[in-house]
């Protein structure tokens, strides 16, 4: 109980600080970046640019990023939001009018953050420069989700964890599948008995 109360207090303190300390001009920039990330438009455009300009490495980075993003969206929006049903942060914590535009779905976890972190973390090993460039809008999306009142900081942290796990699974899945399928290949093949 103390842990949950501590998390609630930290959520409130961080949310109120983000809402009051982010200057209005910066808030507008954050909102613009979040708008382009809505529906994964920003990440799909980044993947297209990587494929076009990056050759084989760019195409690999794009595929890894989009695969991780898809997995993160399925986990965060398709599974976790259906199970959690956490209400959005209270409107009185946020002085701006943006709180009126937030969705009605569960607050936990942040699907925007999950997608952004998944894409960036999956792109980085395949093409480090592109991954480094993607960290800027990823961080902006995460901050905007708290600053605008759409999510608690713990929702954003959970979304980031889902994104990192999705990126890790995207890179590890082929190796895990190959490793677990090799023992099956060594088994003697079953033969049908003659009828």
């Amino acid at each position: 109980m103390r842990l949950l109360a501590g998390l609630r207090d930290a959520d409130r303190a961080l949310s109120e600080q983000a809402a009051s300390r982010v200057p209005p001009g910066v808030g507008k920039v954050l909102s613009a970046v979040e708008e382009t990330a809505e529906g994964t438009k920003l990440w799909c455009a980044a993947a297209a640019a990587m494929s076009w300009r990056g050759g084989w490495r760019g195409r690999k980075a794009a595929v890894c990023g989009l695969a991780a993003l898809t997995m993160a969206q399925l986990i965060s929006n398709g599974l976790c939001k259906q199970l959690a049903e956490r209400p959005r942060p209270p409107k009185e914590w946020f002085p701006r009018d943006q709180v009126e535009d937030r969705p009605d779905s569960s607050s936990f976890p942040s699907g925007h953050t999950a997608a952004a972190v998944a894409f960036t973390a999956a792109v980085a090993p395949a093409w480090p420069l592109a991954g480094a460039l993607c960290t800027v809008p990823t961080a902006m999306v995460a901050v905007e989700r708290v600053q605008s009142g759409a999510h608690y900081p713990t929702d954003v942290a959970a979304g980031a964890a889902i994104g990192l796990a999705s990126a890790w699974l995207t890179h590890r899945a082929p190796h895990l599948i190959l490793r677990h399928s090799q023992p099956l290949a060594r088994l003697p093949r079953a033969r049908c008995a003659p009828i």
Side-chain angles (χ1 to χ4, degrees):
M1 288 303 226
R2 285 183 185 175
L3 177 63
L4 289 175
L7 284 174
R8 265 186 250 119
D9 291 344
D11 267 340
R12 180 175 186 153
L14 291 170
S15 295
E16 289 176 339
Q17 285 181 9
S20 64
R21 291 191 180 180
V22 173
V26 174
K28 287 180 181 178
V29 172
L30 293 175
S31 293
V33 171
E34 186 276 328
E35 279 292 319
T36 61
E38 183 75 36
T40 68
K41 295 180 293 237
L42 176 63
W43 313 117
C44 290
M50 287 179 215
S51 296
W52 177 53
R53 299 292 295 166
W56 182 85
R57 180 174 59 175
R59 287 188 291 279
K60 179 181 176 185
V63 167
C64 290
L66 292 175
L69 179 148
T70 302
M71 186 183 306
Q73 288 285 303
L74 289 171
I75 294 168
S76 63
N77 296 336
L79 179 64
C80 295
K81 280 186 184 289
Q82 308 309 316
L83 299 174
E85 293 190 22
R86 184 182 195 187
R88 300 284 170 166
K91 292 181 179 181
E92 57 269 14
W93 291 4
F94 304 93
R96 295 192 179 90
D97 296 334
Q98 289 176 316
V99 180
E100 303 302 324
D101 295 336
R102 62 191 186 173
D104 294 329
S105 60
S106 174
S107 183
F108 184 87
S110 169
H112 285 77
T113 305
V117 171
F119 184 84
T120 301
V123 163
W127 193 0
L129 177 60
L133 292 174
C134 288
T135 58
V136 175
T138 294
M140 293 173 81
V141 166
V143 170
E144 191 280 337
R145 301 316 285 159
V146 175
Q147 175 264 335
S148 68
H151 288 285
Y152 295 94
T154 50
D155 299 336
V156 170
I162 290 168
L164 289 172
S166 298
W168 183 83
L169 281 171
T170 298
H171 282 282
R172 294 298 304 156
H175 304 294
L176 294 171
I177 291 168
L178 285 174
R179 187 170 71 190
H180 290 292
S181 66
Q182 287 174 351
L184 294 176
R186 291 188 201 126
L187 291 174
R189 292 187 183 180
R191 298 181 185 216
C192 295
I195 299 177

